[in-house]
């Protein structure tokens, strides 16, 4: 609550304190002047305040009051008045909402079918039971999980009048959305490392990258990713949310959520930004290092056919890396509060919905073994249907 008091220069400080308490009880004041600072209301009977007197005419003093709770009262989750959030998604007319529902429904189904086909093809074709395709199947399975953290709720909001999501459901979506994203951030460097071993150390590759080691590394990526964000999310849930409760986004993202807190939390926002930056930069530079060594090894291959095969093998992975890391860096390297809401929605939509849609096309169109496995799977499906 903003509390601004206009008083004469010599007024007693106790009278000012009394006036403050009365205004706190009555609610926010309506002043014709612009408020100097945003003051957050607390949920305690004791008030601590400081007085800030700017340069004003001699006969008038503006007193801006900053309210705070006693020490130890920061954990005010029990006093939250917000029990649900409103996800605005893409505010527009009802007709456009229905059109968006149809478009995203088709995109959602194509994403599930494309990535699901890759998972099934790798599972059924024994020729694809190699580390490269095991990683690809896990990546496609991850994309299926990733898109399910956002799109179903977004489709529901297109048809909903209220567009609400409960406090708990919002933070669960936040957790799984970020955990899946970090898993993808870890899995892409692992795929780059696999290509590095296959091209730069082809003779030792079968013994170094065994199927068992590959599965252990994949499991490590999943476990490590899901352990990154519980602590930051816990601290965010301890912030007071006393209204408003409207999130100008289609997903519970930390930037818009922190903007709704009743008290500023620059430390949490900076911590999230540093964590995101470390994860993204370390993974991205690992990929750059891997493909730098791959490029150096490929350029030493004497035959043009060998070079084309090596570049074709790595080209699809580089395309996916460019799509994912390009958008994620744009979104999360700097604190999210610096990005406009429209930019946040577009960028988040691109890496959370568009990228999972095009990944099966990138991998299947550029890989002969995968195309053969998909054709075999299609033929088996037709035979089963005819029977």
């Amino acid at each position: 609550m903003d509390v601004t008091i206009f008083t004469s220069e010599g007024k007693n400080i106790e009278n000012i304190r009394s006036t403050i308490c009365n205004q706190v009880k009555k609610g926010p004041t309506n002043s014709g002047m612009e408020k100097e600072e945003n003051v957050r209301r607390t949920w305690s009977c004791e008030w601590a305040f400081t007085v800030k007197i700017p340069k004003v005419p001699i006969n008038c003093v503006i007193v801006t009051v900053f309210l705070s709770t006693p020490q130890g009262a920061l954990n005010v989750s029990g006093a939250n008045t917000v029990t649900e959030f409103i996800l605005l998604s893409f505010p527009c007319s009802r007709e456009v909402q229905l059109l968006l529902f149809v478009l995203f429904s088709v995109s959602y189904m194509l994403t599930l079918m494309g990535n699901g086909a890759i998972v099934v093809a790798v599972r059924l074709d024994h020729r694809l039971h190699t580390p490269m395709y095991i990683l690809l199947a896990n990546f496609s399975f991850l994309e299926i999980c990733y898109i399910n953290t956002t799109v179903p709720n977004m489709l529901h909001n297109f048809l909903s009048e209220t567009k609400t999501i409960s406090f708990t459901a919002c933070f669960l979506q936040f957790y799984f959305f970020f955990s899946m994203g970090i898993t993808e951030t870890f899995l892409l460097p692992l795929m780059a490392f696999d290509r590095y071993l296959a091209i730069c150390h082809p003779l030792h590759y079968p013994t170094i990258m065994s199927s068992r080691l590959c599965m252990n590394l994949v499991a490590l990526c999943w476990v490590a990713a899901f352990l990154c964000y519980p602590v930051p999310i816990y601290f965010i849930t301890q912030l007071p949310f006393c209204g408003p409760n409207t999130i100008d986004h289609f997903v519970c993202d930390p930037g818009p959520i922190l903007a709704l807190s009743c008290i500023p939390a620059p430390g949490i926002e900076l911590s999230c930004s540093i964590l995101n930056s470390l994860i993204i930069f370390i993974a991205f530079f690992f990929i750059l290092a891997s493909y730098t060594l791959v490029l150096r090894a490929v350029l030493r291959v004497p035959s043009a056919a060998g070079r084309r095969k090596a570049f074709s093998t790595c080209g699809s992975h580089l395309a996916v890396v460019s799509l994912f890391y390009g958008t994620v860096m744009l979104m999360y390297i700097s604190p999210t509060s610096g990005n406009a809401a429209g930019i946040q929605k577009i960028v988040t939509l691109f890496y959370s919905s568009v990228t999972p849609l095009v990944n099966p096309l990138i991998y299947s169109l550029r890989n002969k073994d995968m195309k053969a496995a998909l054709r075999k799977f299609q033929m088996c499906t037709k035979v089963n249907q005819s029977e």
Side-chain angles (χ1 to χ4, degrees):
M1 178 172 60
D2 296 329
V3 180
T4 304
I5 301 173
F6 303 91
T7 180
S8 59
E9 188 178 10
K11 192 166 183 179
N12 187 279
I13 192 67
E14 289 300 324
N15 293 334
I16 296 176
R17 184 186 182 94
S18 176
T19 305
I20 292 169
C21 294
N22 290 333
Q23 291 198 36
V24 168
K25 293 177 182 178
K26 292 178 182 178
T29 60
N30 293 320
S31 158
M33 298 183 63
E34 181 180 356
K35 295 179 178 62
E36 183 187 20
E37 300 280 351
N38 288 326
V39 182
R40 305 295 187 178
R41 185 170 183 175
T42 58
W43 303 93
S44 173
C45 295
E46 300 181 27
W47 306 95
F49 65 93
T50 58
V51 177
K52 182 178 179 180
I53 304 178
K55 295 181 180 179
V56 293
I58 190 69
N59 61 344
C60 178
V61 174
I62 301 176
V63 180
T64 303
V65 181
F66 300 87
L67 305 177
S68 61
T69 59
Q71 186 176 4
L74 180 60
N75 186 353
V76 290
S77 58
N80 286 345
T81 59
V82 172
T83 59
E84 61 183 19
F85 294 103
I86 298 174
L87 289 173
L88 283 184
S89 189
F90 300 95
C92 50
S93 65
R94 188 64 179 172
E95 292 76 14
V96 177
Q97 294 270 340
L98 293 175
L99 177 61
L100 290 175
F101 174 80
V102 173
L103 290 176
F104 281 104
S105 296
V106 173
S107 171
Y108 177 62
M109 295 303 297
L110 291 175
T111 302
L112 294 181
M113 289 189 295
N115 287 285
I118 290 178
V119 173
V120 174
V122 173
R123 179 70 180 85
L124 296 179
D125 195 331
H126 293 284
R127 295 175 302 173
L128 301 183
H129 289 182
T130 61
M132 174 181 172
Y133 293 106
I134 291 174
L135 290 172
L136 178 56
N138 275 275
F139 185 75
S140 295
F141 174 73
L142 172 63
E143 296 287 51
I144 293 174
C145 298
Y146 195 26
I147 197 171
N148 275 298
T149 62
T150 57
V151 175
N153 186 69
M154 183 170 61
L155 293 176
H156 174 265
N157 282 346
F158 284 140
L159 303 179
S160 173
E161 295 291 340
T162 58
K163 304 183 185 301
T164 58
I165 182 172
S166 69
F167 187 89
T168 303
C170 184
F171 280 96
L172 282 175
Q173 185 191 56
F174 177 10
Y175 173 67
F176 283 104
F177 178 67
F178 265 73
S179 297
M180 297 293 178
I182 295 173
T183 304
E184 186 165 339
T185 306
F186 289 163
L187 199 56
L188 288 173
L190 179 58
M191 296 171 74
F193 179 66
D194 174 72
R195 292 300 85 209
Y196 159 74
L197 290 178
I199 295 174
C200 298
H201 303 281
L203 299 179
H204 299 91
Y205 175 70
T207 56
I208 297 176
M209 184 60 79
S210 62
S211 297
R212 182 176 180 179
L213 175 62
C214 180
M215 293 304 299
N216 288 338
L217 291 175
V218 169
L220 180 62
C221 289
W222 282 84
V223 173
F226 274 76
L227 292 178
C228 285
Y229 254 87
V231 173
I233 289 178
Y234 169 77
F235 282 111
I236 295 176
T237 59
Q238 300 309 295
L239 295 173
F241 294 91
C242 46
N245 66 336
T246 301
I247 300 176
D248 191 8
H249 213 309
F250 63 87
V251 65
C252 292
D253 201 61
I257 290 177
L258 287 172
L260 297 180
S261 172
C262 295
I263 60 173
I268 295 178
E269 186 173 355
L270 181 61
S271 300
C272 290
S273 180
I274 292 174
L275 178 61
N276 292 332
S277 300
L278 286 175
I279 292 173
I280 294 171
F281 271 123
I282 291 174
F284 184 69
F285 284 127
F286 187 88
I287 293 174
L288 282 182
S290 297
Y291 277 106
T292 299
L293 297 174
V294 167
L295 179 61
R296 189 175 67 175
V298 168
L299 293 178
R300 293 177 180 175
V301 175
S303 65
R307 287 195 297 269
R308 282 196 301 269
K309 183 178 179 181
F311 279 125
S312 177
T313 303
C314 301
S316 56
H317 186 245
L318 285 173
V320 173
V321 167
S322 301
L323 285 173
F324 181 75
Y325 280 95
T327 52
V328 168
M329 283 183 174
L330 179 63
M331 186 69 182
Y332 292 113
I333 291 303
S334 60
T336 54
S337 59
N339 297 325
I343 296 177
Q344 288 186 19
K345 292 179 188 179
I346 294 173
V347 175
T348 305
L349 182 67
F350 194 87
Y351 72 77
S352 65
S353 299
V354 177
T355 303
L357 174 63
V358 300
N359 282 350
L361 298 176
I362 293 173
Y363 282 113
S364 62
L365 291 177
R366 295 184 61 90
N367 191 296
K368 294 180 181 180
D369 294 334
M370 182 55 63
K371 286 191 288 186
L374 290 174
R375 281 195 295 267
K376 180 180 178 181
F377 170 65
Q378 186 179 12
M379 291 176 62
C380 293
T381 305
K382 290 181 179 179
V383 170
N384 292 333
Q385 289 178 348
S386 63
E387 294 177 355

